[in-house]
Amino acid sequence: MFVSDRERERKAAILKVGSEVIWAAREFLQNEGFVELLPVIVAPLTDPLRHNTDRAVIEAYGGHWHLTRSMIFHKQAAVSVCAKIFSFSPNIRVEPPDWKETGRHLWEFVQLDLEVRNGSREELMDLGERFLVHVLSRVKEQCWAELEALGRELPVPKRPFPAFTYHEARRRFGEVFEVKLSQEVETPVWIIDFPIDVREFYDREDPKRPGILLDMDLLYPEGYGEALSGGEREYLPERIRKRIELQGLDLAQFQGLLALAEKGLPPSAGFGIGIERLVRYVCGLPHVAETRLFPRVPGELSLI
Ligand code: AMP
Ligand code: MG
């Protein structure tokens, strides 16, 4: 699989760092009172996603089941049972083949998806910052030899991270600001207040500022791009219905979610952070595929 000892050693170092990232993430969330749920892999409905991702559907027992693209709706339902939950959730997103070139996309990846009942965006931003600082510090402590072998000097950022609104980011860094902004900054940076028409229907519209969402992205520095997306959620059935219709989506497709909301979904906020992207950033790698032993690269076939 790996032709030279050097390649094997490099891969082993990356996998060790990846394993430490997962331990550190679990440790942090457990100390914060989160309960880990086993992931949902197939479901009658999954994240609709605005970008052009082919649907992966299987048939079983006379029904159609989507392979998970994110656990968003399951997270919203789960916090009615446990106030803080997380899952290492495998996601299948059949991304366009040319997204191979971004360095950031796989078509099978793992998202650490978490949600907090009655959480606010600001609380989740605070949690996200403390999460990242904890994981980076722990990995530096435990994996200094691997990081050295990979030639990576990993800075641990100071909190609070700076924040730009979506409009500020676009004004200063252009229409596709993700990579440009991420190249310019020296610490992770938040993007907040996305306009309603560029995000999914489940991000909550600010009741005080119609058309603006109570959501956020975190970008890594050094050009590594988006780390996580999250926000407060729409939880009232009439609001969810209105937002689905606003996006021109088929209400029937989301009847399961609407039925749950009619029974009562709690208000919540959360985020999902891509594990491979986090490991890529920690190790300072050119492509996210390097973080996996069996990467699923958009547009590529695989022997195993
Ligand atoms: P999203 O809800 O689409 O923002 O996804 C949540 C997080 O998962 C993103 O912020 C990324 O860190 C990660 N992610 C999303 N799509 C991919 C992908 N195709 N490959 C690897 N990581 C991804
Ligand atoms: Mg995102």
Side-chain angles (χ1 to χ4, degrees):
M1 204 172 158
F2 300 100
V3 283
S4 67
D5 283 349
R6 215 164 150 258
E7 273 181 73
R8 240 193 311 274
E9 278 163 24
R10 178 178 163 82
K11 193 58 141 189
I14 296 168
L15 294 177
K16 171 76 176 42
V17 171
S19 173
E20 195 60 44
V21 163
I22 294 168
W23 278 104
R26 276 214 170 91
E27 174 186 54
F28 175 84
L29 292 174
Q30 200 132 36
N31 285 336
E32 292 281 327
F34 280 75
V35 170
E36 179 168 2
L37 302 183
L38 294 176
V40 172
I41 314 271
V42 286
L45 81 170
T46 190
D47 198 324
L49 292 182
R50 295 180 58 87
H51 73 266
N52 180 21
T53 294
D54 276 350
R55 264 138 226 279
V57 179
I58 60 170
E59 264 179 56
Y61 309 110
H64 288 88
W65 302 80
H66 293 270
L67 301 187
T68 294
R69 284 188 283 180
S70 90
M71 277 178 52
I72 177 63
F73 305 129
H74 300 89
K75 292 197 304 179
Q76 282 189 264
V79 289
S80 65
V81 182
C82 303
K84 296 174 168 187
I85 56 101
F86 74 96
S87 196
F88 284 96
S89 162
N91 287 190
I92 301 293
R93 299 184 183 179
V94 188
E95 312 281 25
D98 56 340
W99 284 22
K100 169 188 172 176
E101 312 300 335
T102 67
R104 301 189 303 278
H105 292 91
L106 297 173
W107 66 276
E108 180 197 27
F109 65 95
V110 173
Q111 194 183 148
L112 171 54
D113 225 347
L114 60 83
E115 196 76 9
V116 176
R117 189 200 300 156
N118 294 324
S120 68
R121 171 177 65 181
E122 282 63 34
E123 283 163 11
L124 269 291
M125 287 168 69
D126 181 73
L127 182 91
E129 293 188 359
R130 289 186 294 110
F131 170 89
L132 194 62
V133 167
H134 174 84
V135 171
L136 300 183
S137 312
R138 183 59 99 231
V139 172
K140 273 189 88 153
E141 228 170 73
Q142 300 292 325
C143 297
W144 60 268
E146 286 77 12
L147 292 177
E148 202 172 277
L150 293 165
R152 176 65 165 155
E153 266 188 46
L154 182 64
V156 177
K158 296 246 179 316
R159 301 181 48 225
F161 305 161
F164 293 94
T165 65
Y166 173 87
H167 286 299
E168 271 169 357
R170 269 190 64 153
R171 199 171 51 242
R172 291 179 53 177
F173 299 95
E175 206 168 318
V176 265
F177 57 78
E178 177 185 344
V179 173
K180 187 108 201 320
L181 204 167
S182 169
Q183 279 165 349
E184 301 268 324
V185 289
E186 287 182 359
T187 103
V189 40
W190 294 105
I191 312 292
I192 58 170
D193 290 354
F194 285 79
I196 201 164
D197 54 328
V198 306
R199 298 289 263 200
E200 314 300 338
F201 72 77
Y202 47 76
D203 282 358
R204 182 163 175 245
E205 187 177 11
D206 188 342
K208 297 193 204 95
R209 295 177 304 163
I212 303 291
L213 302 177
L214 290 166
D215 62 356
M216 74 286 193
D217 272 6
L218 183 70
L219 305 185
Y220 292 119
E222 303 175 58
Y224 288 100
E226 183 188 314
L228 68 77
S229 291
E232 294 181 24
R233 317 300 185 188
E234 294 289 3
Y235 58 97
L236 297 171
E238 61 277 12
R239 298 273 329 147
I240 297 176
R241 208 170 285 118
K242 187 185 146 204
R243 296 286 305 280
I244 293 173
E245 283 174 340
L246 199 68
Q247 294 217 336
L249 292 168
D250 182 10
L251 274 176
Q253 220 189 309
F254 299 99
Q255 55 177 281
L257 173 68
L258 290 165
L260 276 175
E262 294 289 352
K263 281 197 201 150
L265 278 174
S268 68
F271 62 71
I273 179 163
I275 293 298
E276 292 87 348
R277 289 193 189 181
L278 175 54
V279 176
R280 177 191 178 213
Y281 170 66
V282 168
C283 295
L285 307 173
H287 201 287
V288 74
E290 278 200 84
T291 67
R292 297 279 305 239
L293 201 46
F294 309 107
R296 298 296 174 243
V297 179
E300 279 188 4
L301 296 177
S302 177
L303 282 177
I304 184 170

